[in-house]
Amino acid sequence: MSENDGFISYELQEFKLFEPLFRWARKKSLWIVAFCTGCGGIEMPPLFTARYDLERFGMMPNPAPRMADLFLITGYVTPKTLKRIIITYEMMQDPKYVLAHGSCPINGGVYWDSYNVVKQLDKYIPIDVAIAGCMPRPEAVMDGIREIMRKIETGEADGWKRYRENYEWYRKNQDELFGEGWREKDAKRWLAWL
Amino acid sequence: MFVDWIVGHAIPLLLFIPAVSGVIAWLLDRDSFGELKDVFGLIGGLSPLVIIAITYGRLGDGIKWTVDTGVFKLFFHLGYMSWYLSAVAAVVAAAMAFGMVSTSRSGYEWMFALFSVSGLLGVFLSGDFAGFFLFWELMTFASFMMVLRYNKGASLKYFVLSIIGAYAMLLAIAILYAKTGTLEFQSLRGMIYNSIYGMVPLTKTDTILVYALFLLAFGVKAGTWPLHVWAPDAYSETNQSYTSFFSGALSKAGVYGFVLMFILLGIKLYVDMGTFHGHMVFTYILAWLGAITVVVAGFLAVLQEDLRKLLAYSSVSQVGYIVLALGIGSGIGFAGAFFHILSHAVFKGLFWLITAALILRTGKTKFEDFGGLAEKMPVTFAMALIAVLSLAGIPPMAGFASKWLIYEAAISAHMPLVAGAIFLGSGLAFAYVVRFLYSIWFGQRPSDLEDVEEAPLPLLIGMAILAIPNIVFGIAPGLAVKLINKFIPNSGVAANGYYSISTGVGTYNALSVTLILVVGLAIAGLIYIYGAKARKIPVTDTYQSGNPVTEDYNLSIRRNFYRPLAEALEFWLRYSFDRFYARLARMAEDFADSLREGFYNGNVQSYSWYLAIVLLILALWGVL
Ligand code: SF4
């Protein structure tokens, strides 16, 4: 697959010429879904406050998935949270990128033998950049962000495309973990308690 | 020629065709002529529009008609002002007639609906107080009968208040007649002018009394605070197609009454009541009554949980604008008031027809039962959007032009607080139309509305009749201003061609605003089309904080939409004129009861005592 191939195949075909401009614009204004999971939640605020200040990269924490394009998974993911992560991820617009912090999303980290932690997040949603560490320093996170910016520029950050193309595989993994029709089941379980 | 004959007989035709065809429709209300009654109803409803259209440009010095009833001579006069008002009424009547084809349940409804058309036209065309009062009563009675069919309590409330208003008016007319000896407007006006120089014995007290009585009389019809309490009930508890006329046109009778008061008594009231901070006192009172109505009814409209109630309060609030504009008392104020008469008639009529369609198709009236109907009734939704834009005063619609004039009038008359009240009222208008849009058309659709259909064709025609003037007079406000300028000399509002109007303060060029809007929409549309591929998703695919949701969850806010506002207003909502009148009525009832039980007690002894007391009084008086 050549570097540019298919990067804009889902939209903006008419503006192929401007693609470098769009990529530059995308990397310069990454908006983050404020979805803090696990221990990493405590490392998010320092990133955005005066000391490390991510806003100088044009990044904004943002509560609405439809407006965001960067999803930070900041720690261990339980199946219960994973459902919400998947729903939120699917609700984000293309193109969207996932940055995983810490060891837990990569291989379960210290919870490698827990019954209740998802060992390999990449099986359920595609990860573009992972940062190892338990908990990674803000500098490491910033390094990861630099990396994702580089990948956006070159078109390597293509998790959203992989998700679309290999949806069957992701779907199978999700269903294996949660059971078929988990969305409806999970929604309906509260009805009895209303 | 036929047209000339119609022009010559315009007034009797206008007055009688609706009423007579109403009676015929009622007579034809048998199963075998089921459809015929609608035909006659349509004839009655459309004839005023046709006649008014034919007389356009042929008024000359005004068409006159006199009937000698033996006791009274009734004068009628179709001048420019009455033409304008009748034209507004005729447009709404035509739309109502189409709406009633779909929603009327019987010939009874046709008859009284058309009676009120005749009544209103009679009020506008009368050249003297005898005819005015006669048709006023016809109008009140007919609208009362329409409400009576649906809800007895609401109709009685309306009737009692209307009667109080009507007899206040009768009293005022009697005072004027006793002092001047005439009922005819032209000569009455001359007499009142003379009374300033003491040639007619109309004293200052009389004038103020007449003024107060007229405020009561016309305030009831116009729904001015604190006499508005009948409106929410009466407007909602009747055939909603009829309400488009009831609230769109009939409420203008009260406003016209105020105009009449200005024409007949204006100078006298000015001389007798003087000025306050450079404003004429009698108009100043009117302006504040209007301002309070706008704000109070606006707040109440925002807090309603029933579609019809919301629109009813909104109607009260919008008529408050007209009263307020009249109260400003300047030429611009009058022009704004007359323009708003037109735009309120067309947008509120449209709103009620939409309500009629909604009730016809869903049978529901509460906001909590609606939702997501824009997909099911797209044409009605488009009409609703026009009505909403016009009511909220968004530029290319008639509502903007008229509100703009009222603002200009308030500002140039140096009434900052009144202007502030209009501003607040406009904000509230936004708030309640948002409620209307959100709860009915958008959001999740309740499962029992799955097979709702588009409104029937006659209703849609009726809506179109009202939607077109909203747009036409919005883009060409000069058209309306030209008509208004014919009967308000030196109004201070100039029409520069059809598309632009200007006052001393500013100019509103509707065409350029519309063009800019269209170009802006086109650019936005291009960005939208080329910007990204839009994908349709189900309504449940929404961000419930990442939680999965299904149709079982009601995610639209249907109840207590403005709860925080209600909580903020809690103190004020504790006082209600509605409850006050209800308590007053109960006290009157109790008093009547105690009188009956106290005096007619079935005790022979006490009856003989009454006789003895009367004899005693007579004896003391020296009769015996
Ligand atoms: S990697 Fe360490 S810090 Fe991060 S979530 Fe796992 S246990 Fe917590």
Side-chain angles (χ1 to χ4, degrees):
Chain A
M1 206 148 79
S2 87
E3 208 184 277
N4 280 341
D5 185 44
F7 186 77
I8 54 167
S9 64
Y10 295 104
E11 46 180 0
L12 303 171
Q13 276 296 2
E14 295 87 340
F15 297 113
K16 209 154 191 153
L17 185 64
F18 297 109
E19 206 198 309
L21 175 69
F22 292 151
R23 284 183 180 180
W24 174 80
R26 274 182 192 138
K27 92 169 191 196
K28 285 293 184 188
S29 74
L30 286 168
W31 284 25
I32 297 171
V33 207
F35 194 111
C36 294
T37 64
C39 319
I42 207 67
E43 284 293 332
M44 290 282 286
L47 271 174
F48 284 95
T49 44
R51 185 150 185 199
Y52 295 103
D53 187 18
L54 276 186
E55 258 183 63
R56 61 201 155 116
F57 301 126
M59 302 181 80
M60 280 263 290
N62 168 348
R66 301 245 195 244
M67 286 192 252
D69 46 8
L70 181 60
F71 201 168
L72 294 185
I73 308 289
T74 52
Y76 59 83
V77 172
T78 62
K80 203 169 169 179
T81 315
L82 184 56
K83 287 174 187 162
R84 274 79 189 171
I85 288 178
I86 290 167
I87 288 169
T88 308
Y89 180 71
E90 287 178 356
M91 216 164 275
M92 290 163 68
Q93 315 277 359
D94 289 344
K96 52 194 171 187
Y97 317 102
V98 178
L99 184 82
H101 288 200
S103 315
C104 286
I106 303 174
N107 56 13
V110 291
Y111 305 113
W112 59 275
D113 62 348
S114 166
Y115 68 97
N116 202 23
V117 167
V118 172
K119 301 301 170 314
Q120 204 183 333
L121 187 62
D122 205 24
K123 272 170 73 184
Y124 307 100
I125 59 168
I127 288 173
D128 292 303
V129 172
I131 309 158
C134 175
M135 166 87 236
R137 296 265 321 152
E139 290 95 328
V141 180
M142 280 159 65
D143 192 50
I145 284 163
R146 292 273 303 274
E147 173 68 6
I148 207 158
M149 284 180 168
R150 188 191 63 75
K151 280 187 159 186
I152 291 170
E153 185 119 51
T154 58
E156 286 166 63
D158 56 354
W160 56 280
K161 220 162 57 187
R162 271 184 282 138
Y163 192 68
R164 199 182 273 257
E165 279 157 9
N166 306 323
Y167 184 65
E168 269 75 54
W169 185 75
Y170 286 109
R171 182 64 193 261
K172 183 177 66 69
N173 291 342
Q174 291 166 7
D175 284 350
E176 263 169 26
L177 185 62
F178 306 130
E180 297 253 348
W182 54 273
R183 282 163 222 253
E184 284 71 37
K185 246 182 262 165
D186 215 52
K188 288 206 196 294
R189 62 189 291 215
W190 300 108
L191 284 174
W193 300 91
L194 285 181
Chain B
M1 234 187 78
F2 184 59
V3 170
D4 288 327
W5 184 83
I6 287 188
V7 173
H9 294 76
I11 292 170
L13 289 175
L14 277 175
L15 296 185
F16 288 115
I17 297 181
V20 171
S21 32
V23 174
I24 298 176
W26 176 65
L27 290 174
L28 286 178
D29 191 13
R30 308 276 174 276
D31 287 339
S32 37
F33 323 98
E35 306 291 308
L36 260 182
K37 73 169 194 286
D38 290 346
V39 172
F40 273 96
L42 268 181
I43 292 174
L46 289 177
S47 61
L49 189 58
V50 174
I51 297 163
I52 281 286
I54 289 174
T55 54
Y56 177 72
R58 293 160 177 272
L59 288 181
D61 289 336
I63 300 165
K64 291 190 172 64
W65 188 57
T66 315
V67 229
D68 201 344
T69 58
V71 192
F72 290 112
K73 251 193 170 156
L74 298 183
F75 297 95
F76 293 94
H77 177 81
L78 184 62
Y80 286 106
M81 184 169 74
S82 41
W83 186 89
Y84 179 83
L85 292 168
S86 310
V88 172
V91 170
V92 184
M96 172 201 79
F98 276 110
M100 288 209 27
V101 170
S102 304
T103 60
S104 87
R105 291 199 230 148
S106 58
Y108 172 99
E109 289 187 6
W110 273 117
M111 179 165 72
F112 287 111
L114 293 175
F115 273 6
S116 37
V117 174
S118 278
L120 184 63
L121 290 173
V123 166
F124 288 155
L125 295 175
S126 286
D128 65 321
F129 267 126
F132 185 85
F133 187 73
L134 209 70
F135 281 101
W136 184 278
E137 284 302 272
L138 176 66
M139 178 182 90
T140 305
F141 175 67
S143 46
F144 160 71
M145 291 302 272
M146 286 300 285
V147 185
L148 181 66
R149 225 359 164 30
Y150 287 75
N151 185 319
K152 199 159 161 246
S155 72
L156 279 179
K157 191 154 134 195
Y158 171 49
F159 195 60
V160 169
L161 275 162
S162 289
I163 287 293
I164 291 174
Y167 290 101
M169 176 158 73
L170 197 61
L171 218 58
I173 294 172
I175 293 172
L176 287 177
Y177 184 68
K179 302 284 165 153
T180 63
T182 177
L183 283 174
E184 205 253 332
F185 291 158
Q186 286 289 321
S187 48
L188 188 63
R189 198 174 170 207
M191 290 286 208
I192 284 171
Y193 193 72
N194 290 341
S195 72
I196 297 171
Y197 303 104
M199 289 186 270
V200 172
L202 191 67
T203 61
K204 192 171 166 177
T205 337
D206 294 337
T207 323
I208 292 172
L209 188 60
V210 166
Y211 173 68
L213 289 170
F214 271 162
L215 270 192
L216 184 63
F218 303 133
V220 168
K221 248 305 167 283
T224 312
W225 178 89
L227 303 165
H228 63 279
V229 294
W230 60 271
D233 289 355
Y235 286 163
S236 46
E237 297 294 341
T238 180
N239 185 331
Q240 301 306 320
S241 299
Y242 173 70
T243 315
S244 65
F245 187 76
F246 194 1
S247 131
L250 227 64
S251 58
K252 307 302 178 314
V255 176
Y256 173 65
F258 285 131
V259 173
L260 210 58
M261 187 177 81
F262 273 92
I263 296 174
L264 299 179
L265 297 171
I267 300 170
K268 175 81 175 152
L269 285 171
Y270 169 53
V271 170
D272 283 350
M273 295 178 75
T275 56
F276 172 78
H277 286 285
H279 305 292
M280 291 182 275
V281 169
F282 80 103
T283 64
Y284 200 62
I285 293 172
L286 213 55
W288 271 108
L289 281 179
I292 295 171
T293 312
V294 166
V295 173
V296 170
F299 272 120
L300 289 173
V302 168
L303 300 177
Q304 295 309 308
E305 294 292 319
D306 185 307
L307 166 63
R308 303 168 302 170
K309 286 255 155 64
L310 181 141
L311 292 178
Y313 275 114
S314 137
S315 199
V316 172
S317 167
Q318 297 294 321
V319 177
Y321 275 97
I322 307 174
V323 175
L324 180 153
L326 287 177
I328 289 165
S330 64
I332 308 177
F334 277 104
F338 274 98
F339 202 158
H340 205 63
I341 285 178
L342 168 70
S343 40
H344 174 255
V346 290
F347 68 64
K348 196 42 64 69
L350 187 50
F351 262 120
W352 286 111
L353 282 186
I354 291 159
T355 314
L358 286 171
I359 292 177
L360 183 71
R361 284 308 192 214
T362 66
K364 299 175 189 299
T365 63
K366 290 246 185 284
F367 282 122
E368 60 186 55
D369 301 326
F370 284 110
L373 281 177
E375 264 177 309
K376 293 282 170 188
M377 307 171 86
V379 185
T380 316
F381 174 60
M383 298 294 178
L385 218 52
I386 292 175
V388 161
L389 292 181
S390 195
L391 187 144
I394 312 282
M397 298 290 165
F400 177 80
S402 56
K403 279 193 192 175
W404 181 77
L405 277 182
I406 298 175
Y407 275 117
E408 297 275 283
I411 291 166
S412 47
H414 303 292
M415 290 183 169
L417 285 178
V418 170
I422 321 177
F423 200 77
L424 181 54
S426 286
L428 293 169
F430 267 109
Y432 60 71
V433 293
V434 163
R435 173 98 214 256
F436 167 78
L437 274 182
Y438 173 86
S439 309
I440 293 192
W441 304 102
F442 301 147
Q444 213 175 329
R445 188 168 43 246
S447 50
D448 54 342
L449 297 183
E450 261 334 301
D451 34 49
V452 166
E453 286 165 38
E454 181 57 87
L457 187 64
L459 255 173
L460 289 177
I461 296 173
M463 289 181 205
I465 291 177
L466 290 174
I468 291 166
N470 267 312
I471 298 171
V472 168
F473 289 107
I475 297 176
L479 211 63
V481 169
K482 272 185 182 162
L483 288 175
I484 292 166
N485 275 346
K486 282 191 182 150
F487 55 85
I488 306 179
N490 315 323
S491 70
V493 187
N496 326 317
Y498 288 128
Y499 303 112
S500 158
I501 53 177
S502 55
T503 65
V505 187
T507 302
Y508 168 50
N509 190 330
L511 190 65
S512 56
V513 169
T514 315
L515 284 180
I516 291 168
L517 195 77
V518 170
V519 171
L521 283 177
I523 294 171
L526 280 179
I527 292 174
Y528 176 72
I529 292 167
Y530 281 104
K533 209 177 261 167
R535 190 158 55 95
K536 232 182 137 85
I537 54 167
V539 71
T540 46
D541 188 0
T542 184
Y543 190 59
Q544 190 62 13
S545 301
N547 285 308
V549 283
T550 59
E551 284 281 351
D552 302 309
Y553 293 86
N554 179 5
L555 297 178
S556 303
I557 307 165
R558 303 242 172 77
R559 251 166 282 164
N560 295 327
F561 195 82
Y562 286 114
R563 174 96 162 257
L565 182 67
E567 278 165 10
L569 292 176
E570 211 185 333
F571 172 78
W572 296 99
L573 291 175
R574 254 187 281 152
Y575 301 94
S576 146
F577 267 99
D578 213 357
R579 287 196 290 276
F580 171 70
Y581 290 134
R583 192 175 305 161
L584 220 58
R586 228 173 305 125
M587 270 159 62
E589 231 171 278
D590 289 348
F591 180 63
D593 268 346
S594 63
L595 273 189
R596 193 191 47 185
E597 280 153 20
F599 283 96
Y600 298 96
N601 48 13
N603 185 346
V604 186
Q605 298 254 332
S606 46
Y607 294 128
S608 10
W609 272 110
Y610 300 154
L611 196 64
I613 290 168
V614 170
L615 287 176
L616 188 68
I617 290 171
L618 287 179
L620 287 177
W621 212 339
V623 181
L624 285 181

